[in-house]
Amino acid sequence: MLIIMLGPPGSGKGTQAVRLADKKGLAHLSTGDLLRNAVKEGTELGLKAKTYMEAGNLVPDDLILGMIRERLQVSENGFLFDGFPRTIPQAEGLDAMLGEIGSKVDMVMDLEVSDEEVIKRLSGRFSCPKCQAIYNYPNMLPKKEGICDKCGAELQKRKDDTEEVVTNRLEVYKKQTQPLQDYYRNQSLLKGVDGEREIGMILSDLLALLDSAAD
Ligand code: AMP
């Protein structure tokens, strides 16, 4: 099964993707996490990606597609893509790669959240630099202030979660990523989910959708 999580920055797709992948045994592929790791490790890819990421712009399609190709081996239960594809050329590139291995996208789950909510959430977001867990003030607090519940590392604010960069990321999303809604709607793969509800409610809707895709 191959599932894509679509949604603006701050829609909760990272949080939900981790839970969904865990419950369904899917391999979770977050291009944002992969890129942040590459930057931290100072790899060639990381050095190329850093300036784009810090400005809230997209990393070039060829770098992203190369990174996905490396990881697109057969996983027993399938993949859950989080933050990929983000442009029409990436979606076309993914379709071509999947075609080569006799696979295809099964469903695209689109988390719908308003601009005001995105800005509010991202300015209150903290994440763990070690295990990538996400927290949110005031809604999703860690048990001990400033410390990750899962691995004990000190929480940090992402460099691209400042107000200026958040505004740019939202604009980039509208211009470059939102056209994917029509791309996947035209293939009858798009399922919209209201992302402005309690986390557990959203998760149960997503699980129900996944079950319907597996039928
Ligand atoms: P995210 O954690 O998904 O919000 O991604 C953080 C940043 O990584 C984005 O603002 C982009 O700069 C970059 N990025 C992540 N995924 C992609 C992608 N599929 N295409 C281009 N850039 C990406």
Side-chain angles (χ1 to χ4, degrees):
M1 195 156 52
L2 205 141
I3 308 291
I4 292 170
M5 294 278 291
L6 201 64
S11 57
K13 57 184 188 316
T15 303
Q16 297 290 357
V18 169
R19 293 169 194 217
L20 268 184
D22 192 43
K23 279 200 186 292
K24 292 288 171 184
L26 298 169
H28 173 216
L29 258 180
S30 156
T31 42
D33 286 350
L34 292 172
L35 289 168
R36 276 184 290 280
N37 280 336
V39 170
K40 207 159 65 185
E41 285 164 17
T43 65
E44 201 186 322
L45 169 68
L47 292 176
K48 286 184 186 156
K50 193 168 186 266
T51 39
Y52 295 101
M53 294 173 75
E54 286 181 355
N57 293 322
L58 294 185
V59 173
D61 292 332
D62 56 334
L63 294 181
I64 300 290
L65 286 168
M67 192 168 82
I68 294 292
R69 182 180 282 280
E70 262 177 36
R71 286 169 178 82
L72 202 65
Q73 299 127 1
V74 185
S75 142
E76 209 170 297
N77 291 324
F79 287 98
L80 181 62
F81 286 119
D82 159 14
F84 170 84
R86 257 179 157 100
T87 63
I88 297 281
Q90 287 182 21
E92 290 170 345
L94 174 65
D95 286 346
M97 275 189 259
L98 292 174
E100 287 168 22
I101 56 170
S103 183
K104 62 173 183 48
V105 175
D106 292 293
M107 184 183 280
V108 180
M109 303 195 290
D110 187 23
L111 276 180
E112 298 160 344
V113 173
S114 68
D115 292 0
E116 300 75 54
E117 182 68 16
V118 163
I119 291 168
K120 200 172 86 191
R121 286 186 191 179
L122 291 188
S123 38
R125 180 160 87 172
F126 284 78
S127 58
C128 175
K130 204 164 151 207
C131 76
Q132 324 282 354
I134 301 162
Y135 299 87
N136 197 295
Y137 291 84
N139 298 325
M140 263 170 68
L141 293 167
K143 291 195 185 83
K144 193 169 166 208
E145 197 185 329
I147 302 293
C148 179
D149 289 345
K150 293 187 185 140
C151 73
E154 205 169 313
L155 298 179
Q156 287 179 356
K157 191 149 185 62
R158 267 173 51 172
K159 278 202 182 130
D160 59 353
D161 278 347
T162 60
E163 198 177 328
E164 192 191 339
V165 179
V166 166
T167 310
N168 186 42
R169 283 164 68 202
L170 203 50
E171 265 170 38
V172 165
Y173 175 78
K174 289 191 178 164
K175 250 191 237 146
Q176 294 179 265
T177 307
Q178 227 165 22
L180 289 177
Q181 289 176 332
D182 279 342
Y183 182 85
Y184 289 118
R185 194 178 285 120
N186 290 339
Q187 299 176 47
S188 308
L189 292 174
L190 192 79
K191 305 282 175 195
V193 173
D194 176 0
E196 290 198 29
R197 293 170 301 154
E198 190 268 315
I199 291 177
M201 276 170 74
I202 301 170
L203 182 63
S204 57
D205 276 8
L206 295 173
L207 282 168
L209 278 175
L210 271 192
D211 289 340
S212 73
D215 287 342

